[in-house]
Amino acid sequence: MAQDMANIKRELMVKNIGRDPYKDLIMVDVVQRLGIDYEFKEEIEQVLERQYTAIDELVNNKDLYFVSLCFRLLRQHQYYVSADAFNNFVNKTRNLEIRGESNDALMSLYEASQLRVEGEEVLDEAEYLSRLLLQERMKFLNHDQSIAIKNTLAHPHHKSFARITEKHIISNVVNGNEGYEKALQELVTTDLALMRTIHDRELSAVSRWWNDLGLAQELKLVRDQPLKWYMCTTALLTDPGFSEERIELAKPISLIYIIDDIFDLYGTIDELTLFTEAVNRWDIAATEQLPDYMQKCFLSLHNITNEIGYKIYKKFGLNPIDYLKISWSKLCNAFLEESKWFASGHLPLAEEYLNNGIVSSGVHVALVHMFFLIGDGSTKEQAELITSNASMLSYPAAILRLWDDLGSAKDENQKGHDGSYVTCYMKEHGEVSVEAARKHVQDMISDTWKRLNKECFSPNPYSKTFIKGCLNLARMVPLLYNYADNQSLPQLEEYMKSMFVLPLNC
């Protein structure tokens, strides 16, 4: 299978890369959208490097489709491109003039606007106006054209998961380019078969580990979802080479959910306080006064974390156990704070709730483990990055927390206490309606994406793998919290079906 992919890749590159800058960028865009860009890392860098050397020509280009595509791809790969690239499409009053542009150009502009940072007003307007014009035009288009626009507006590439939209890409973007449409189809089919085989094997390993752990049998009310927990790792680490890392990362992710359920459904405040103190001290003896299920949970947490730390030490030469322990300590302290709020009937101020909720989301725990599992913390200096520059972790966490609070259904229909930024905000601002509060949260999510964009696309010391993992975590959030009217999660179900061969109840 690997040889088949190499042959198809060679055919694709020889015929289609390096001849036309316009087509080169389309090729880069397509392989990224299809989730097979890991096969073309060198070729993508060559294309973008050539384009960046001619960046001065971009501001003089009057092709909105090309300018938007080039702007987006360069920013995605940390090449600095100013929003001034769109000056050719702005009038003397600094307003965009794009009403005469094609649908493809408007969709390309809408996609580019998703990579804006704070202060880029021209891109704020670009998002609003391109969406407005495309929505107006949809009623006059045929079914296929209308669906293409609908998909773009609902799932812009930068904020979406590649494989969720891949079935639309080849037909909509590549259609008519016979030079590589067939080769792309073959490569996607081969890649998907390979990834499904890898994911099935990894999921079996995670499921065996989870069953052997026995916590689901001990705690009947906690979530028992190894498939979902493992699925999160496939989003964070998409390269097939990270097989062992995905299996190991699934373990702390599962414990985030289990400990959350213990705080939400099981423990008294006194018990949860003792449990948190045990985590803070990292001391098994400190759990002696706790119920058996809490002792077993802490023992599992203690052993699994130490095992992961030792595996990382053997592979990279630095044991990150102190950093892993700190992440768990912060998480449990945040869980405890929420439990105290809800037990007392006290609602905190919205900002206080969100600051604590960013930590209690569990995102920091997952990303800290990922950071060390992929080898980014192999020296003391590198390891300190994860504590000294926390914005890269906090912005995806804020997006998750705010999206979660917008959810139209309680997660897994659980009956425990659950907070909401919307509730806190409405209490703090007595005259605010539910609709206005939700709009405020949506605006906060948009602003947090701008800050995450700046963090990811500006020079920073993190590896591209880690940056992509942070972005993918934010992209994964709608899959986990975008409920349909029947309380289902259709995007999550679609993603799972695309990634696995095994039955989804395993």
Side-chain angles (χ1 to χ4, degrees):
M1 188 176 292
Q3 186 60 46
D4 290 342
M5 293 185 70
N7 292 337
I8 298 170
K9 175 183 171 182
R10 184 162 50 249
E11 177 185 355
L12 203 56
M13 292 299 101
V14 169
K15 290 184 177 180
N16 299 289
I17 290 292
R19 300 183 180 186
D20 182 336
Y22 189 90
K23 292 182 178 179
D24 286 355
L25 289 178
I26 292 177
M27 175 63 77
V28 171
D29 187 33
V30 169
V31 297
Q32 288 187 169
R33 288 170 177 266
L34 294 172
I36 56 174
D37 47 307
Y38 69 89
E39 284 283 348
F40 300 93
K41 291 178 181 178
E42 293 182 8
E43 292 83 359
I44 288 173
E45 285 302 322
Q46 291 170 7
V47 167
L48 297 180
E49 186 63 37
R50 281 197 299 268
Q51 191 58 54
Y52 193 66
T53 59
I55 192 64
D56 291 341
E57 299 176 13
L58 193 64
V59 296
N60 299 316
N61 195 310
K62 296 185 179 181
D63 184 336
L64 181 60
Y65 179 90
F66 179 81
V67 171
S68 300
L69 177 61
C70 186
F71 173 89
R72 173 165 61 85
L73 293 177
L74 287 172
R75 274 211 176 178
Q76 282 177 343
H77 289 265
Q78 293 182 286
Y79 290 92
Y80 174 74
V81 187
S82 169
D84 291 344
F86 296 94
N87 280 349
N88 269 328
F89 312 97
V90 174
N91 60 25
K92 293 180 180 179
T93 60
R94 301 302 296 170
N95 292 317
L96 281 171
E97 291 188 344
I98 57 174
R99 291 187 177 275
E101 297 288 347
S102 68
N103 294 336
D104 286 342
L106 291 177
M107 286 192 288
S108 184
L109 178 62
Y110 181 79
E111 294 275 18
S113 72
Q114 305 306 308
L115 284 86
R116 67 193 186 278
V117 301
E118 290 179 304
E120 292 183 325
E121 294 179 1
V122 67
L123 291 176
D124 288 333
E125 184 185 4
E127 182 190 48
Y128 171 77
L129 190 54
S130 60
R131 173 186 283 275
L132 181 67
L133 293 173
L134 288 167
Q135 288 174 333
E136 288 177 352
R137 295 180 185 186
M138 282 176 63
K139 66 189 77 169
F140 303 108
L141 302 174
N142 65 39
H143 176 75
D144 290 343
Q145 293 170 327
S146 180
I147 288 295
I149 292 175
K150 182 179 178 181
N151 287 331
T152 295
L153 297 180
H155 307 293
H157 173 60
H158 178 57
K159 295 180 180 178
S160 301
F161 226 40
R163 295 189 187 275
I164 288 295
T165 55
E166 73 172 31
K167 63 186 179 184
H168 309 293
I169 299 306
I170 294 181
S171 59
N172 292 336
V173 180
V174 189
N175 189 30
N177 297 276
E178 296 180 0
Y180 58 89
E181 183 171 358
K182 181 180 178 182
L184 269 177
Q185 290 278 16
E186 292 177 356
L187 185 58
V188 168
T189 301
T190 305
D191 171 78
L192 188 57
L194 172 64
M195 294 305 294
R196 281 178 166 174
T197 300
I198 292 172
H199 290 152
D200 283 347
R201 183 176 65 247
E202 294 169 1
L203 176 58
S204 295
V206 170
S207 297
R208 284 195 303 272
W209 165 82
W210 173 245
N211 290 331
D212 292 342
L213 193 64
L215 287 180
Q217 291 76 25
E218 181 75 22
L219 301 164
K220 300 298 184 182
L221 297 181
V222 300
R223 283 164 284 192
D224 183 7
Q225 301 172 315
L227 171 60
K228 181 178 179 180
W229 303 329
Y230 167 70
M231 183 278 299
C232 293
T233 74
T234 69
L236 295 177
L237 295 171
T238 57
D239 192 304
F242 286 119
S243 182
E244 180 182 354
E245 290 77 6
R246 282 189 290 270
I247 292 171
E248 293 302 315
L249 185 56
K251 298 173 183 178
I253 289 176
S254 68
L255 291 176
I256 292 169
Y257 280 88
I258 298 309
I259 295 173
D260 181 24
D261 288 345
I262 286 176
F263 274 80
D264 194 29
L265 301 170
Y266 278 93
T268 66
I269 292 298
D270 289 342
E271 291 170 345
L272 296 174
T273 300
L274 288 175
F275 183 87
T276 302
E277 288 175 356
V279 174
N280 290 338
R281 292 164 54 185
W282 208 245
D283 183 5
I284 295 174
T287 66
E288 291 177 356
Q289 303 302 315
L290 290 174
D292 286 347
Y293 74 87
M294 279 192 174
Q295 293 187 37
K296 290 178 180 177
C297 181
F298 179 79
L299 184 61
S300 297
L301 171 64
H302 184 276
N303 291 344
I304 290 164
T305 305
N306 287 337
E307 288 168 6
I308 291 175
Y310 183 64
K311 288 179 181 179
I312 294 170
Y313 166 72
K314 286 199 300 182
K315 189 170 184 179
F316 298 111
L318 186 143
N319 192 328
I321 186 63
D322 288 340
Y323 300 95
L324 304 183
K325 288 191 297 186
I326 289 171
S327 72
W328 284 114
S329 177
K330 288 180 177 179
L331 178 66
C332 289
N333 280 281
F335 282 159
L336 180 61
E337 185 70 15
E338 290 179 349
S339 295
K340 289 179 178 178
W341 286 338
F342 303 133
S344 67
H346 167 70
L347 273 182
L349 296 176
E351 183 177 2
E352 183 183 5
Y353 166 83
L354 181 59
N355 288 338
N356 191 78
I358 285 172
V359 181
S360 69
S361 69
V363 166
H364 286 74
V365 173
L367 291 181
V368 167
H369 281 76
M370 183 182 78
F371 178 80
F372 288 104
L373 282 167
I374 63 176
D376 278 13
S378 57
T379 68
K380 188 68 175 177
E381 293 74 20
Q382 290 174 329
E384 287 298 320
L385 288 174
I386 208 69
T387 56
S388 62
N389 185 11
S391 295
M392 186 72 78
L393 289 70
S394 295
Y395 294 145
I399 291 170
L400 186 150
R401 173 55 63 202
L402 292 168
W403 251 104
D404 184 8
D405 289 351
L406 278 179
S408 57
K410 278 181 75 72
D411 185 23
E412 332 302 344
N413 292 317
Q414 293 212 46
K415 302 183 184 302
H417 303 297
D418 210 0
S420 165
Y421 180 89
V422 172
T423 303
C424 296
Y425 183 81
M426 290 179 65
K427 180 187 176 185
E428 191 174 336
H429 302 81
E431 302 299 319
V432 173
S433 66
V434 174
E435 292 74 17
R438 291 176 64 84
K439 176 63 167 60
H440 173 69
V441 172
Q442 290 166 354
D443 290 342
M444 290 180 68
I445 293 172
S446 177
D447 289 341
T448 306
W449 262 108
K450 293 178 186 179
R451 299 185 191 107
L452 178 60
N453 285 341
K454 184 175 182 179
E455 193 73 28
C456 291
F457 304 140
S458 301
N460 68 66
Y462 291 113
S463 71
K464 288 187 175 182
T465 298
F466 185 73
I467 292 171
K468 184 177 181 181
C470 292
L471 283 169
N472 279 349
L473 192 150
R475 291 165 177 153
M476 179 179 66
V477 169
L479 275 68
L480 299 175
Y481 298 106
N482 197 9
Y483 289 93
D485 292 339
N486 63 356
Q487 309 298 294
S488 66
L489 291 164
Q491 291 185 50
L492 178 62
E493 292 168 5
E494 183 178 352
Y495 174 71
M496 287 180 171
K497 290 176 182 177
S498 74
M499 297 302 285
F500 301 101
V501 177
L502 292 174
L504 295 187
N505 61 355
C506 60

